[in-house]
Amino acid sequence: MSRRRVPMLRFAAFLILSFCAIAPAPAVAGTGDLSEDTIFVFSIDDATALRQGFRQSDWSAFLQDPQVVPIAERVMSGASELLEFLQSAALESIAGELTAASGAGSVPGGTPRGAGGDGEDATGAAGGKGGAGGAAPTGGAVGTPEEASGPSAEAFSARQALARDVFSTIREYSSTLYREVTGRFAVSVGTRALPDGRNAIDLLVHFQGGEQFQKHHDRIFELIAKSGGQFRIERFEIGGVPFQAALAPPEEVPGPVAPPDGLLIGHKGSDYYIGLNRTGLLDYITTTTARTGVATGRLAGDPAYQKAVASAGAGQMILFLNAKPIWKLVRTYVPRGGGAPFDIAGILEDLGIFSIHNFYCSMSFLPEGQEGGLFVACGEEKGILTLLPAADVDVAMPPYVPRFSPNASVSNFRLSGIYNLTLDLIQKYGGPQAHQQAQMELANVGAELGVTIQNLVENLEGTILMCETTRAASGIDLMNPAGAFATTLFGLRVKDRVPFENLLAGLLKHPEIGASVATAEHAGIKLYKFDPLGSSGMPEEYSSGQPVLSIAIHDDWMLCGMSEKTLKFALDVATTKSADQLALDPKFVEQMKHYAAPSAMVSYCDVAATYERMSDIARLGLGFAPMFLAGAYAVPGVPKLLSSENVPPNAVYKKYFGQCTAAARRADGGFLYKTFAPRVTRAAAPAPDAKGAGK
């Protein structure tokens, strides 16, 4: 076998162990110290505090419920069986790889592949019946006894032992992560421009832990060395931190991305550094150790990052996606005009996509509940960003939403700008002819309905309502579109209701659509019902195979229910049953105090009801899965992992999950979304400063 060739076994072992090495989930000295070209960051502020917070959370109590514990045990048992099966399959694959690499293809202890029958020798030359005559192949000593028999039994056993050690190391290393890591953690992925015009991918992990991790890392390099191949194990320092590395041989790889240096792991004190490139590690380490203020080219020096942290807060866990380096790569490698069928980069620019700078998400387990924040940092308002609400917009939950609604959301956008934005894009990328054609088609549609499309759009106030008035009855009904959507209510707030009344009247008079529209009245309010059976008078129970769209205009809202019953119920809640309104529910009112005004979006979710619906769907799906995935269910462990018995009974959710609310508003340099779910299970009193924590 050529020494220049890295066998698949060695390469696979290197990848597996590299993944094992970067898996730890604890600690970074400072996310702001990362390069401004960092694309993705996941960090934990304090692993110990996070573990303690989770142990006191509703989720932790849920996982310890007597009805849930057997599910967890069955899942773990299935996962163990599946891993054992995958390990056995990997060992068989290793045997095949070694056989193929030998050039002769025998398995130790078996018959050489050249043996064709009685009297045939190991070279494959015809020596008796059953052998194929002919000369031995030329160009190599294929017929020698050493290579004809393939790898020796000792070599085969050694390779299998190495594979078992790899699997064992992964299991042992993974099992210590939750218990042993301390302090903060971060894993990041970014790009770095090289002098030759290519880009290097920098993967960096920095965490804090005890000496047991160094023992694991030593074991990883020991196994990489045993795997053979061309990886060089070296020791050196980077920024004063001792490193051990498995370095790949330098090679010229065509393309815009340069290959990594190898796997590098450093350790100093309680800090561990893991990376793929020396330069990226040096850049990070020298910045974090110097601490001489905000360095040029760091995230901490990026105004968009600063605004994100200031708005969303530094939670126990942080997820950060930096869009600016992504857009830089898009501008570099995606065609922009120049004969391309579409100016993709230009379209993204005009849509305002390039003006989205980053997404910063934080989450914390607090004694009083679970809190989260999302900040979207934006630059110049253009394209779709012009539709974001104004800074002074303040919405409230409309009176049509009942207090026992499973979920509801009301949000505001500058929808009146959609008409001109769409036509402007058509004008720029389709030309004057396409622009004129679009205007003509819109005018024709409006003429048929007796309205002006532009007038309709410009009279949209911008507030959108979407909710479920009641929960769907059961999982079986969820398989029926009417059951899934019949309780859904949509709403649009309007500036002037007259154009929309004209629209509904035009639909009723339309020569084709009018026959499917029926009218009715409820509490003095005119209803428009789309009846797919026409005005046949067919009872609703016989026509419930699909949603029956019902529309009404009440005050300054155009409401659309996916059934007549849903629309009437929402109108009753607003007009005659005000005590049932979610907006007046004391729990909801109290929970909304966690958010600073004004709010351009307010949402509510009954978490238990949502999980019940998801469970209904999962239970049905897993029940049918063995019929369509018979092959997968034949794999050991899969029947336990994908059993419908793994879905908890619906009644258990109400014990551990309650309401979750959210609010969003314009903030300096972007859009802020905050969420809070009060704790249902109480094992500790709320912290004294808990009030207003969500602000």
Side-chain angles (χ1 to χ4, degrees):
M1 181 168 50
S2 170
R3 293 176 60 86
R4 293 185 302 241
R5 180 177 178 271
V6 180
M8 285 299 296
L9 169 63
R10 297 169 183 169
F11 184 64
F14 177 77
L15 289 181
I16 292 173
L17 291 169
S18 298
F19 174 79
C20 175
I22 66 174
V28 87
T31 303
D33 295 318
L34 293 165
S35 166
E36 63 182 358
D37 288 327
T38 299
I39 296 175
F40 169 84
V41 180
F42 172 72
S43 69
I44 295 174
D45 180 65
D46 186 329
T48 302
L50 178 63
R51 287 193 292 266
Q52 292 174 347
F54 179 78
R55 291 190 187 109
Q56 297 177 359
S57 70
D58 293 330
W59 264 105
S60 178
F62 169 75
L63 294 174
Q64 297 175 56
D65 185 274
Q67 293 178 286
V68 178
V69 170
I71 296 175
E73 293 174 348
R74 183 166 50 250
V75 169
M76 294 300 295
S77 175
S80 178
E81 291 179 14
L82 180 60
L83 288 175
E84 288 294 332
F85 170 78
L86 293 176
Q87 178 173 333
S88 299
L91 294 176
E92 292 179 8
S93 177
I94 289 168
E97 171 66 21
L98 291 171
T99 299
S102 71
S106 67
V107 177
T111 304
R113 190 177 297 169
D118 294 342
E120 182 179 350
D121 61 20
T123 65
K129 64 180 181 179
T138 59
V142 176
T144 61
E146 293 79 7
E147 296 203 6
S149 62
S152 67
E154 292 79 8
F156 177 78
S157 298
R159 289 292 185 244
Q160 283 198 323
L162 174 62
R164 290 192 183 94
D165 285 345
V166 169
F167 285 112
S168 175
T169 299
I170 293 175
R171 286 196 298 267
E172 292 174 4
Y173 194 48
S174 301
S175 66
T176 62
L177 295 180
Y178 182 78
R179 301 187 307 270
E180 305 294 344
V181 296
T182 60
R184 303 177 64 193
F185 161 83
V187 55
S188 68
V189 179
T191 64
R192 179 167 40 85
L194 299 177
D196 61 3
R198 295 188 297 172
N199 287 277
I201 303 299
D202 281 330
L203 184 148
L204 172 68
V205 179
H206 176 198
F207 69 95
Q208 295 171 333
E211 289 295 327
Q212 66 273 18
F213 285 104
Q214 184 59 49
K215 297 177 181 177
H216 282 296
H217 295 157
D218 290 340
R219 179 60 175 162
I220 287 171
F221 284 109
E222 178 184 339
L223 293 176
I224 291 176
K226 283 185 178 180
S227 71
Q230 301 177 4
F231 303 109
R232 307 187 320 275
I233 307 298
E234 295 185 4
R235 293 180 181 272
F236 45 79
E237 286 193 358
I238 298 178
V241 177
F243 268 81
Q244 189 172 8
L247 302 176
E251 54 180 331
E252 293 297 329
V253 178
V257 179
D261 295 337
L263 174 65
L264 298 85
I265 303 179
H267 174 210
K268 187 174 184 179
S270 62
D271 291 302
Y272 289 88
Y273 303 88
I274 302 173
L276 300 181
N277 294 293
R278 299 191 200 202
T279 304
L281 284 163
L282 178 63
D283 181 58
Y284 173 74
I285 291 173
T286 54
T287 301
T288 55
T289 55
R291 298 287 180 183
T292 56
V294 177
T296 303
R298 304 295 103 192
L299 283 178
D302 181 2
Y305 177 82
Q306 294 173 354
K307 292 175 181 177
V309 175
S311 298
Q316 293 175 338
M317 288 191 294
I318 292 173
L319 186 66
F320 176 70
L321 179 64
N322 190 10
K324 290 197 286 187
I326 298 177
W327 304 150
K328 185 188 299 184
L329 294 174
V330 170
R331 288 188 174 101
T332 302
Y333 297 109
V334 173
R336 187 183 183 99
F342 296 101
D343 185 359
I344 299 176
I347 293 174
L348 294 176
E349 183 80 50
D350 290 328
L351 284 174
I353 303 299
F354 288 160
S355 293
I356 301 175
H357 293 162
N358 64 52
F359 300 84
Y360 179 97
C361 179
S362 64
M363 195 274 285
S364 298
F365 291 103
L366 305 175
E368 65 273 18
Q370 187 172 332
E371 180 185 83
L374 170 65
F375 184 81
V376 182
C378 305
E380 178 187 359
E381 281 195 5
K382 58 191 301 187
I384 60 175
L385 297 185
T386 62
L387 305 180
L388 289 176
D392 58 348
V393 169
D394 193 15
V395 301
M397 192 64 66
Y400 310 102
V401 183
R403 57 183 173 82
F404 39 79
S405 169
N407 57 76
S409 174
V410 57
S411 54
N412 182 276
F413 298 94
R414 286 180 279 188
L415 298 179
S416 58
I418 289 179
Y419 186 89
N420 290 329
L421 173 62
T422 303
L423 289 180
D424 288 345
L425 290 174
I426 293 175
Q427 169 78 25
K428 182 169 184 178
Y429 293 99
Q433 185 174 357
H435 181 265
Q436 184 178 8
Q437 181 68 26
Q439 286 183 313
M440 290 176 58
E441 292 180 0
L442 290 172
N444 291 337
V445 172
E448 290 183 3
L449 299 174
V451 296
T452 304
I453 302 299
Q454 183 174 4
N455 187 34
L456 282 174
V457 175
E458 290 179 349
N459 271 289
L460 292 173
E461 184 269 346
T463 303
I464 303 172
L465 166 68
M466 185 172 69
C467 75
E468 286 184 274
T469 54
T470 57
R471 182 176 179 270
S474 68
I476 299 298
D477 287 342
L478 289 173
M479 300 302 291
N480 183 312
F485 301 107
T487 62
T488 301
L489 178 75
F490 297 95
L492 284 173
R493 198 169 187 178
V494 299
K495 300 175 183 176
D496 183 359
R497 56 185 286 167
V498 173
F500 296 92
E501 290 175 339
N502 294 337
L503 171 64
L504 295 176
L507 289 173
L508 189 62
K509 297 176 183 178
H510 193 278
E512 297 177 1
I513 303 175
S516 299
V517 180
T519 60
E521 189 172 296
H522 179 72
I525 303 169
K526 193 171 185 178
L527 308 182
Y528 294 80
K529 184 174 70 171
F530 176 72
D531 183 0
L533 300 178
S535 300
S536 63
M538 181 75 73
E540 185 175 353
E541 58 267 26
Y542 295 107
S543 61
S544 61
Q546 61 184 15
V548 179
L549 194 67
S550 299
I551 302 174
I553 298 179
H554 179 252
D555 291 340
D556 55 353
W557 283 91
M558 186 169 74
L559 303 171
C560 175
M562 297 308 289
S563 72
E564 183 179 2
K565 182 178 179 181
T566 293
L567 181 58
K568 290 179 178 179
F569 179 73
L571 291 171
D572 287 343
V573 171
T575 56
T576 63
K577 299 180 179 179
S578 58
D580 287 337
Q581 294 176 13
L582 176 63
L584 302 179
D585 181 67
K587 291 183 179 179
F588 177 77
V589 173
E590 181 65 26
Q591 200 163 326
M592 292 307 299
K593 294 179 181 179
H594 283 267
Y595 309 104
S599 296
M601 188 213 77
V602 172
S603 66
Y604 162 88
C605 176
D606 183 333
V607 180
T610 301
Y611 287 161
E612 288 172 12
R613 167 167 287 196
M614 294 170 60
S615 295
D616 288 337
I617 297 173
R619 203 174 288 113
L620 284 167
L622 293 174
F624 285 111
M627 298 171 56
F628 303 101
L629 302 172
Y633 275 77
V635 176
V638 171
K640 290 184 178 180
L641 288 172
L642 300 182
S643 170
S644 60
E645 295 180 357
N646 290 342
V647 182
N650 287 356
V652 76
Y653 295 117
K654 290 184 174 64
K655 296 160 56 177
Y656 302 102
F657 304 106
Q659 295 183 349
C660 176
T661 56
R665 60 183 174 86
R666 290 292 296 270
D668 182 25
F671 197 74
L672 176 64
Y673 177 92
K674 299 282 282 186
T675 180
F676 179 73
R679 187 174 174 188
V680 175
T681 57
R682 292 285 173 180
D689 60 346
K691 187 175 181 180
K695 294 183 180 180

